[in-house]
Amino acid sequence: MENEILIDNALKSELSALYLAEGRHYHDLAHIEAMLALAHDYRGLLADPEAVEAAIWFHDAIYDSKAKDNEAQSAALAEERLAGRADPERLSRITAMILATATHQLPRIDDAAAARDASLFLDMDLSVLGAAPDAFDAYERAVRREYDWVEEPLWRAGRAAVLKTFLARPHIFHTQEFRRRFEPRAKRNLARSLAALESG
């Protein structure tokens, strides 16, 4: 069961169509490809790389900036499409990873190897925070376009609250590998963005 391909070409095509939908400026196929590249870079650290790849493919499959249940809807889609391809325990690990992207807090997983995979997966999803300043700024503009229906004062207040939440954490990233590679620049990017939001 563990050796079966979870994401075949037909499923990739189906999911790619969702990521190419109109109105996606950051939560798009480029975001998925960037995460898959990181999963490839860190493959040697992953206990179940195929499960992490599946979580990457599905985690933003359903995305509506006006909805509050995107992660739950994406996890439900994964359960539906991966039924029969992954055993129930493996599927529950995949959906736990997807659901965790709502808060980027580590889900409660008893299995140490699965918890490590979830940590790396969540860090891959947030790696853009530690990107070079111009890439980070492009990400910020893309997210703003996804929320273009939100008036500027409300956007500034809401976005500032999100950034403060990340900056208030002891660490933005869960793993030592990602802290070393991305944490210092992520903190600088977030602080710079927060200052711009608050200065108006």
Side-chain angles (χ1 to χ4, degrees):
M1 211 58 171
E2 295 279 316
N3 294 326
E4 279 188 31
I5 291 174
L6 292 176
I7 307 287
D8 60 18
N9 287 334
L11 203 43
K12 280 181 187 172
S13 295
E14 180 190 335
L15 292 167
S16 293
L18 294 175
Y19 286 107
L20 292 167
E22 202 177 337
R24 288 181 182 250
H25 304 287
Y26 172 68
H27 295 90
D28 58 7
L29 200 53
H31 171 53
I32 300 307
E33 287 167 350
M35 286 183 70
L36 291 171
L38 284 167
H40 182 266
D41 289 349
Y42 292 96
R43 191 178 177 88
L45 300 178
L46 297 171
D48 188 351
E50 282 75 27
V52 170
E53 183 186 341
I56 289 170
W57 269 106
F58 276 100
H59 83 287
D60 285 327
I62 306 298
Y63 184 77
D64 173 0
S65 64
K66 294 182 179 176
K68 300 273 188 235
D69 62 346
N70 290 316
E71 296 82 9
Q73 294 267 6
S74 296
L77 184 67
E79 282 191 319
E80 183 189 312
R81 290 292 189 272
L82 297 175
R85 296 184 193 219
D87 62 70
E89 187 189 328
R90 197 178 190 199
L91 192 48
S92 78
R93 293 202 307 267
I94 293 167
T95 56
M97 285 190 272
I98 295 167
L99 291 167
T101 61
T103 61
H104 283 93
Q105 302 283 7
L106 200 57
R108 292 179 70 95
I109 299 176
D110 293 333
D111 180 278
R116 171 92 168 132
D117 279 2
S119 299
L120 286 159
F121 163 76
L122 290 172
D123 284 356
M124 289 169 199
D125 194 30
L126 288 184
S127 63
V128 68
L129 300 181
D134 56 345
F136 175 81
D137 292 345
Y139 147 74
E140 291 263 274
R141 287 193 299 273
V143 172
R144 180 66 181 107
R145 286 179 70 195
E146 290 182 340
Y147 285 86
D148 61 3
W149 53 274
V150 179
E151 291 177 20
E152 189 65 17
L154 282 175
W155 166 258
R156 286 177 179 273
R159 186 69 181 165
V162 170
L163 300 188
K164 281 177 181 167
T165 302
F166 281 117
L167 283 168
R169 295 182 181 187
H171 297 285
I172 294 167
F173 296 98
H174 296 283
T175 65
Q176 289 297 335
E177 291 80 8
F178 277 73
R179 285 176 195 166
R180 276 198 299 272
R181 183 171 171 183
F182 294 110
E183 186 100 12
R185 194 153 56 190
K187 286 188 168 166
R188 289 196 299 273
N189 282 335
L190 292 175
R192 182 169 56 82
S193 180
L194 185 59
L197 288 165
E198 290 182 331
S199 71

